Amino acid sequence: MNSSVGHVAVVLGLVGALAGMATLGWGLARGDASWLRRGQLYPWMVFLAAAAAAAAMEHALISRDFSLAYVAQNDGLGTPLLFRITGMWSGLQGSILLWTLILAGYLAAVAWRFRRRATDPLVAWATLVGLGVAAFFFGLMMLGSADPFQTLAGQIPTNGPGPNPLLQNNAIVAFHPPLLYLGFVGFTVPFAFAMAALISGRLGEGWLAETRRWTLFAWGSLTLGLVLGAFWSYQVLGWGGYWAWDPVENAALLPWLTGSAYLHSMIVQERRGMLRVWNLSLVIATFALTILGTFLTRSGVLESVHSFSTSTVGPVILGFFGLVTVSGIGLIAWRGDQLRSPGAIDSPLSRESAFLANNVAFGTFAFVVLLGTVFPLVVEDLNHSTVSVGAPYFDTMTMPIVLVLLFLMAVAPALPWRKTTGEVLLRRLRWPAAAGVATVVATSAAGLHDLPAVIAFGLGAAVAASALRQLWLSSHRNGWRGLVGRSNGGMVVHLGVAILAVGFAASAAYGQRGQLTLRPGQAARFDGHTIAYLGVQTRHYPNRSAIEARVRLDGGPVVYPAISVFGFSFEGIGTPAIRSGATQDVYLTLDSSPVGREAPAVIGVVVQPLIVWLWIGGGVMGLGVALAAFPGRRRQIDASNSAAGSSPVRERIRATSGPD
Amino acid sequence: MSPPVDSESRSILPQPRTLRLGLLWIAMALALGGALGYDALASRPPNSINQRVLAIASEVRCPSCLDETAAQSTTQTAIAVRATIRQRLLAGQDQEQIEAYLESRYGPAILLRPQATGVSALVWVLPVVAALAAIAALAAVLFNRRAGPAVPLNSEERELLEKARRRWREHGGQ
């Protein structure tokens, strides 16, 4: 039942996407408004089909329909309800279904948002491109090699192994992947409009202003998804870290980096009409990188915690990536002469130069991450030798780039557009600089001598002071409205980045880790903490059984670092016990379970400062995105301007004259 | 607010406000340089054997894991690698010798930091080349600021411009 409903829904989704493309294509070719209007109904059909497919999958997972291969692999009788629901994104095929559902949701939202401009060629082309992406996911993925509704041949099993133990250990799994996908897939909207602008020749600032909030939403979701992923890694994986430069993490970071670059450089285009080719390239690259990331992590070419299984989806995704890249580059080349920008940079001491420098830094960052991630593959292919590119490489290479970015974040908000003098800049920056210098002096007086970390602390303080200065000036002038809108929200995001960067630098430079072998009743000191091992106990939960060590930390309450065994699995999964504080986290793991009641246990201890700052910084960044999406100053919206048939010229003027 | 200055002294001496600003920045630069210099030269307590083991282990892949370093992992193989590193450190070997041993034992992929020789050198060199190229391009844009050729207006744009000009003239050129 579930399988047939699912298959029918997927076929309907494909039909809807293709029919929509054909309708819109015909309407565009004929210049026929009624076809264009009809074409805007198809995103809804695609959305309903995707929702029906997702509902069928959830129904199968919740009712444990083991006749579906996917359910048999990712569900079990002992799996609690929450993890049966999240089972939809615990495996490859279900993840593709979630991706398609979110994509269809975005397409429907675009159709709704631009419902009064159905006859605008820009909107029609963007919808067509979006439907094309949907057709790929329905037709080539879900009806091809990543079929979520495949049935099992032969006897239907009565039980399954449940999701991967790591994916049923913490409720964060209900939020981390959907948020990440909201981010990934969200970049389809600016991509579709960028392609539409190139195809339709409406190359002004219209497409960019039109999709500003969509881009912001995608970027914000991706940011929260990444931070939540780090939080999950810290809470669940038991190694005491939060970022491993794992290929899948890198694949998610890549579009974040190019997306961050784009969020900054788009402002230059809106204000000055420059960087048109660059912005188009960044948007197309960001979307292409989400597809490349899916290829790298879902095709089995790279092994990592996140990749589910080896499958044959690789060539299909790679082909799609190639199509996106080639058509993007081709279109930009075709429109090249119309993309020449009318403006020029007046002075190196200007906001626009700072944004350019920001883009160089983000671009280099993305290049390092991409190169490091694919390098082992390339070397293995061409040179037939194996090489690892791991955390030490990424740490070494990205640290200077991050420091440059922090420096720019401290300076750039004080820079005016066009040009300024050194004296004005020095005057505006005296408080941020004082905050930075005071922090460096205070930390070295306190005996923290790790140079990169101390520099990061100083720059973090300067970034925060620079952001607060802007917010103070702006709220002084405009009251609470000085805290919302793009630039003010952006300053709140900067504040979050500063907090996060300080937490990152502190925990990386001043963390301590060790292992203690203790008999019951024995205590030991580690990095200023007393860890007393009291004994061990076994507990049974519906989906797992756990061996829990009873440990008293610093004479306080007893905590229970554990090793859990899930379902049919034999491998134990560590569950850490964490004591978080504003200045320091103590992270305890049971590294090997004692063989008997009186036998010694090995307790892993990780003590790291300012871990909580990472989560606070991430939260502040999310808040900043929300504030940035909120309209800053009231704009006069002329209904006739946003109605159908606004000419490119009028649109360009509207986009450049809007205050921001 | 600032006291009136005659034109002659203004041309020679910076205004007091500017002077104060300059002095503030010089003081901050000195304080920063002093603090960072102190950090760079400050004597640090020698690393304990545990810290030295972890420093090397964090450059080494845990042989039985996918993405974890031998410093982070709690698996038996990682514990064995850490024990090997400790033994060899105590026997007086340095990091290079220990890494060479681990490489001979587990293969080149055990080391997480690619070597700076042979093919792997590319992974170090390419980003530097790319960054230098990008910085050069940036410098070219920033310091060669001749405006590009004027973009000709299309008919619609010309019409709009004419309209704006007419309106401007109608309002008496104000």
Side-chain angles (χ1 to χ4, degrees):
Chain A
M1 229 292 274
N2 291 316
S3 163
S4 346
V5 171
H7 273 138
V8 168
V10 171
V11 170
L12 280 178
L14 175 65
V15 169
L18 293 177
M21 289 170 77
T23 311
L24 289 167
W26 183 258
L28 283 163
R30 286 299 177 103
D32 187 335
S34 67
W35 283 79
L36 291 182
R37 248 177 248 122
R38 206 169 312 141
Q40 289 297 330
L41 295 175
Y42 288 95
W44 296 100
M45 175 175 169
V46 170
F47 176 61
L48 287 178
M57 176 53 80
E58 284 299 354
H59 184 254
L61 284 165
I62 293 169
S63 63
R64 302 190 180 97
D65 177 359
F66 294 120
S67 68
L68 283 188
Y70 184 79
V71 177
Q73 284 156 14
N74 292 289
D75 201 354
L77 292 178
T79 311
L81 179 64
L82 174 68
F83 299 113
R84 270 184 273 150
I85 295 172
T86 64
M88 186 162 123
W89 46 91
S90 295
L92 167 74
Q93 294 85 354
S95 301
I96 297 291
L97 178 57
L98 176 68
W99 186 298
T100 313
L101 174 68
I102 292 177
L103 175 61
Y106 273 116
L107 292 179
V110 166
W112 173 253
R113 173 72 182 76
F114 295 97
R115 63 192 179 283
R116 298 213 180 83
R117 288 174 51 189
T119 53
D120 184 339
L122 185 75
V123 173
W125 274 113
T127 311
L128 196 151
V129 172
L131 287 173
V133 178
F136 163 76
F137 275 95
F138 277 111
L140 292 177
M141 300 296 285
M142 289 204 287
L143 288 181
S145 41
D147 178 5
F149 296 103
Q150 198 174 23
T151 46
L152 278 179
Q155 205 184 351
I156 294 169
T158 52
N159 196 358
N164 180 327
L166 289 171
L167 300 179
Q168 49 170 321
N169 204 358
N170 195 306
I172 300 168
V173 80
F175 303 103
H176 161 56
L179 266 176
L180 210 58
Y181 278 25
L182 268 180
F184 271 172
V185 185
F187 285 115
T188 311
V189 179
F191 165 75
F193 274 83
M195 295 297 266
L198 282 167
I199 299 168
S200 66
R202 297 261 300 275
L203 293 159
E205 279 58 62
W207 71 271
L208 186 128
E210 229 91 75
T211 54
R212 181 178 87 79
R213 286 209 177 80
W214 299 83
T215 312
L216 201 58
F217 181 78
W219 185 86
S221 305
L222 188 54
T223 305
L224 289 180
L226 282 168
V227 173
L228 214 54
F231 185 69
W232 177 83
S233 173
Y234 184 70
Q235 296 282 332
V236 171
L237 291 184
W239 57 287
Y242 43 84
W243 189 262
W245 296 107
D246 160 290
V248 176
E249 291 169 348
N250 293 349
L253 183 64
L254 279 169
W256 187 87
L257 292 169
T258 51
S260 306
Y262 171 65
L263 278 180
H264 291 92
S265 64
M266 72 189 286
I267 304 174
V268 180
Q269 184 175 343
E270 282 189 26
R271 291 288 288 242
R272 303 289 317 274
M274 293 183 282
L275 305 183
R276 289 182 177 166
V277 174
W278 179 241
N279 279 321
L280 287 164
S281 313
L282 273 179
V283 168
I284 293 167
T286 302
F287 177 74
L289 284 170
T290 65
I291 302 294
L292 183 70
T294 312
F295 164 71
L296 288 176
T297 54
R298 297 290 173 258
S299 65
V301 293
L302 288 173
E303 285 181 294
S304 98
V305 193
H306 299 72
S307 23
F308 304 127
S309 61
T310 312
S311 70
T312 53
V313 295
V316 183
I317 307 181
L318 199 60
F320 186 60
F321 168 75
L323 178 71
V324 168
T325 317
V326 169
S327 50
I329 294 172
L331 280 171
I332 290 176
W334 177 50
R335 292 289 190 190
D337 54 333
Q338 292 182 39
L339 287 168
R340 218 167 297 140
S341 54
I345 301 266
D346 297 302
S347 157
L349 271 188
S350 64
R351 182 76 63 83
E352 45 272 56
S353 340
F355 279 133
L356 282 180
N358 149 308
N359 273 231
V360 167
F362 270 118
T364 312
F365 200 146
F367 182 70
V368 166
V369 174
L370 182 62
L371 181 70
T373 309
V374 300
F375 194 72
L377 286 175
V378 177
V379 168
E380 205 176 322
D381 232 43
L382 300 181
N383 206 35
H384 303 291
S385 61
T386 53
V387 57
S388 292
V389 180
Y393 169 79
F394 291 108
D395 288 341
T396 308
M397 294 300 269
T398 57
M399 195 254 290
I401 304 174
V402 170
L403 293 181
V404 166
L405 280 169
L406 285 174
F407 174 77
L408 287 171
M409 284 168 69
V411 175
L415 277 169
W417 290 92
R418 293 209 167 245
K419 59 181 153 193
T420 186
T421 63
E423 191 190 331
V424 169
L425 190 60
L426 289 185
R427 193 173 298 288
R428 289 182 175 185
L429 285 176
R430 64 191 193 281
W431 288 114
V437 171
T439 305
V440 169
V441 170
T443 45
S444 36
L448 304 176
H449 297 312
D450 187 286
L451 264 186
V454 167
I455 294 172
F457 296 156
L459 285 173
V463 170
S466 191
L468 288 172
R469 175 183 174 277
Q470 291 298 116
L471 287 171
W472 188 82
L473 286 174
S474 141
S475 56
H476 201 63
R477 233 179 287 132
N478 302 325
W480 68 271
R481 283 208 169 272
L483 297 176
V484 300
R486 167 153 67 191
S487 50
N488 302 316
M491 286 304 110
V492 177
V493 175
H494 277 197
L495 199 59
V497 174
I499 298 171
L500 201 139
V502 169
F504 206 99
S507 57
Y510 300 105
Q512 297 287 345
R513 55 172 68 231
Q515 281 183 319
L516 306 169
T517 308
L518 299 171
R519 291 185 175 282
Q522 231 180 354
R525 302 270 302 162
F526 182 84
D527 199 38
H529 296 278
T530 308
I531 287 122
Y533 173 55
L534 305 178
V536 72
Q537 63 194 32
T538 307
R539 272 215 230 164
H540 295 282
Y541 299 90
N543 59 334
R544 64 184 175 115
S545 57
I547 302 164
E548 299 178 344
R550 280 177 289 132
V551 177
R552 195 182 291 284
L553 177 59
D554 294 332
V558 176
V559 293
Y560 303 93
I563 295 176
S564 304
V565 176
F566 286 82
F568 303 154
S569 164
F570 291 106
E571 208 186 330
I573 301 291
T575 308
I578 306 167
R579 193 184 70 187
S580 287
T583 55
Q584 197 184 54
D585 270 26
V586 181
Y587 190 98
L588 298 170
T589 49
L590 179 57
D591 286 357
S592 76
S593 52
V595 280
R597 219 152 248 298
E598 294 304 309
V602 179
I603 310 283
V605 193
V606 185
V607 181
Q608 291 176 111
L610 305 193
I611 288 282
V612 176
W613 289 41
L614 297 169
W615 322 135
I616 295 174
V620 173
M621 286 175 80
L623 173 71
V625 171
L627 292 173
F630 197 87
R633 277 171 275 168
R634 283 261 171 259
R635 291 175 197 206
Q636 294 295 318
I637 294 163
D638 185 352
S640 67
N641 259 0
S642 54
S646 70
S647 73
V649 172
R650 201 186 293 167
E651 178 185 87
R652 206 176 305 161
I653 285 168
R654 181 155 42 94
T656 45
S657 65
D660 218 315
Chain B
M1 293 290 238
S2 53
V5 262
D6 61 45
S7 58
E8 201 180 339
S9 72
R10 186 186 297 167
S11 64
I12 300 167
L13 289 173
Q15 293 194 17
R17 244 162 68 91
T18 313
L19 194 66
R20 272 205 304 275
L21 183 68
L23 288 176
L24 174 71
W25 275 89
I26 290 170
M28 289 198 293
L30 288 176
L32 184 68
L36 290 180
Y38 173 63
D39 284 335
L41 300 174
S43 64
R44 273 160 250 203
N47 284 336
S48 66
I49 180 77
N50 186 35
Q51 283 167 326
R52 287 168 65 204
V53 170
L54 287 177
I56 298 176
S58 63
E59 303 266 316
V60 176
R61 180 191 286 276
C62 149
S64 64
C65 320
L66 290 176
D67 307 303
E68 280 179 272
T69 70
Q72 296 154 350
S73 174
T74 56
T75 57
Q76 289 306 311
T77 52
I79 293 171
V81 167
R82 290 202 293 266
T84 309
I85 295 171
R86 179 183 296 266
Q87 257 172 21
R88 288 179 175 258
L89 274 175
L90 290 173
Q93 290 197 344
D94 63 12
Q95 177 160 0
E96 211 169 306
Q97 290 168 309
I98 296 172
E99 286 183 356
Y101 166 75
L102 290 171
E103 194 181 341
S104 69
R105 170 94 171 64
Y106 296 100
I110 192 79
L111 300 179
L112 286 168
R113 186 186 294 271
Q115 289 179 329
T117 54
V119 191
S120 339
L122 280 178
V123 82
W124 295 103
V125 173
L126 286 179
V128 177
V129 171
L132 289 178
I135 291 168
L138 179 69
V141 171
L142 292 189
F143 295 101
N144 181 17
R145 304 193 296 276
R146 251 170 306 149
V151 181
L153 298 180
N154 61 30
S155 58
E156 205 175 349
E157 286 167 328
R158 210 172 298 131
E159 193 182 307
L160 203 72
L161 183 66
E162 267 317 305
K163 215 189 285 173
R165 273 191 184 144
R166 263 201 307 280
R167 205 178 305 151
W168 188 69
R169 261 181 254 120
E170 278 162 23
H171 287 76
Q174 279 162 28

